[in-house]
Amino acid sequence: NDVEQDVARRIIDTVSGRISPNAGFDDVALQLSGVISGLLGKPETISADDGGKPKVAIFVGPTGVGKTTTLAKIAANYMLTHKKSIGLVTADTYRIAAVEQLKTYAEILDIPVSVAYTAAELSEAVKQNSDKDLVLIDTAGRSHKNKAQFEELKAFVAASGADEVYLLLSSTTSSRNYREILSSYSFLPDYKLIFTKMDEASTCGIILNVRYLTGKCLSYITTGQSVPDDIETVNIDKITKNLIGSISK
């Protein structure tokens, strides 16, 4: 299921130490489930609590992972389900289409949206949304091979004063590429993980691999283009069953 060999070996070694030599299949499967669930940990989503000031979340990640659509799904969910007031800010000014896309979603939801071309403008845009419960910030996709773009991203993240940073990865990303991407974003002091395009992935091994490599909390997965429906909190039980489901007696 595309679980990396060193991760699989750790799981097997842990399970082997917990069962007797004559353990039955059900015992092994139960221990496997417990170890994998433990490695995946408990998912954490945005907590837009009423603390008197807005919760600020910034979304980063490589090009083409679906940051703008994901941000719109979260905005719609927190507005419609949790009845929170939302402010949107986009710093993705490399693609005119990205700005227009977010403006379209904002118009449908009747949510204000600001465009920030510089780190200073981003900081000001966040201040202008001080009356909101939740401020969501979109950023331009960065190629993990372009160092100059990452210097600009660092400035944006710092200027945002974000309470939470979300790194988005496509579930279809190869092992080599996600390792390079994670290395490029290692400047982030902390972040949570969102996996997009789960509907296009044949396995979900990447979720376990990246969680193991980074130790960062899982958050959401997206399963299509529909706003706001195709997003959900990572279901640890479901992922675990998916990973061990191909084992047969």
Side-chain angles (χ1 to χ4, degrees):
N1 286 318
D2 292 325
V3 175
E4 291 193 12
Q5 194 168 7
D6 57 337
V7 183
R9 175 56 57 191
R10 176 185 167 182
I11 292 168
I12 292 168
D13 288 345
T14 303
V15 170
S16 296
R18 293 184 181 180
I19 58 174
S20 61
N22 59 348
F25 174 84
D26 290 341
D27 292 333
V28 176
L30 185 64
Q31 289 296 336
L32 265 176
S33 179
V35 171
I36 292 171
S37 295
L39 283 175
L40 291 170
K42 185 178 179 181
E44 293 184 5
T45 57
I46 297 173
S47 59
D49 48 20
D50 300 315
K53 71 181 191 69
K55 177 64 65 77
V56 180
I58 190 167
F59 297 77
V60 302
T63 54
V65 295
K67 284 188 297 300
T68 305
T69 306
T70 300
L71 185 146
K73 291 172 183 175
I74 292 172
N77 180 266
Y78 274 81
M79 178 185 169
L80 301 173
T81 305
H82 300 285
K83 309 301 181 187
K84 300 294 183 181
S85 59
I86 312 291
L88 300 179
V89 182
T90 178
D92 186 359
T93 53
Y94 285 90
R95 295 186 306 124
I96 294 173
V99 175
E100 293 307 314
Q101 183 183 14
L102 195 61
K103 282 184 174 179
T104 300
Y105 287 132
E107 191 174 315
I108 293 169
L109 295 167
D110 195 24
I111 293 173
V113 60
S114 308
V115 181
Y117 291 89
T118 65
E121 288 182 2
L122 178 57
S123 180
E124 184 59 32
V126 171
K127 290 177 185 175
Q128 289 174 358
N129 282 284
S130 61
D131 60 330
K132 302 294 186 291
D133 296 318
L134 181 62
V135 180
L136 305 175
I137 303 170
D138 194 14
T139 63
R142 311 286 166 160
S143 166
H144 53 277
K145 301 180 188 299
N146 190 320
K147 303 301 180 188
Q149 286 185 354
F150 274 91
E151 290 305 313
E152 183 181 56
L153 180 61
K154 288 179 188 178
F156 276 127
V157 172
S160 72
D163 300 292
E164 299 181 8
V165 180
Y166 288 84
L167 174 60
L168 282 75
L169 293 170
S170 169
S171 301
T172 60
T173 308
S174 69
S175 173
R176 178 180 175 181
N177 280 348
Y178 70 64
R179 283 179 176 272
E180 289 182 359
I181 292 165
L182 292 173
S183 176
S184 297
Y185 285 89
S186 61
F187 70 88
L188 295 170
D190 197 17
Y191 57 86
K192 297 176 187 177
L193 293 159
I194 296 177
F195 291 90
T196 62
K197 306 182 182 181
M198 276 301 298
D199 54 312
E200 298 177 22
S202 55
T203 68
C204 57
I206 184 175
I207 296 178
L208 182 60
N209 294 336
V210 173
R211 162 70 177 157
Y212 179 80
L213 283 169
T214 64
K216 304 302 183 185
C217 284
L218 303 176
S219 190
Y220 302 97
I221 61 168
T222 71
T223 55
Q225 295 294 310
S226 178
V227 177
D229 300 322
D230 293 338
I231 189 169
E232 60 190 66
T233 304
V234 173
N235 185 320
I236 300 302
D237 187 50
K238 189 175 177 182
I239 299 296
T240 300
K241 287 178 178 175
N242 181 283
L243 288 169
I244 66 175
S246 61
I247 299 172
S248 59
K249 295 182 183 180

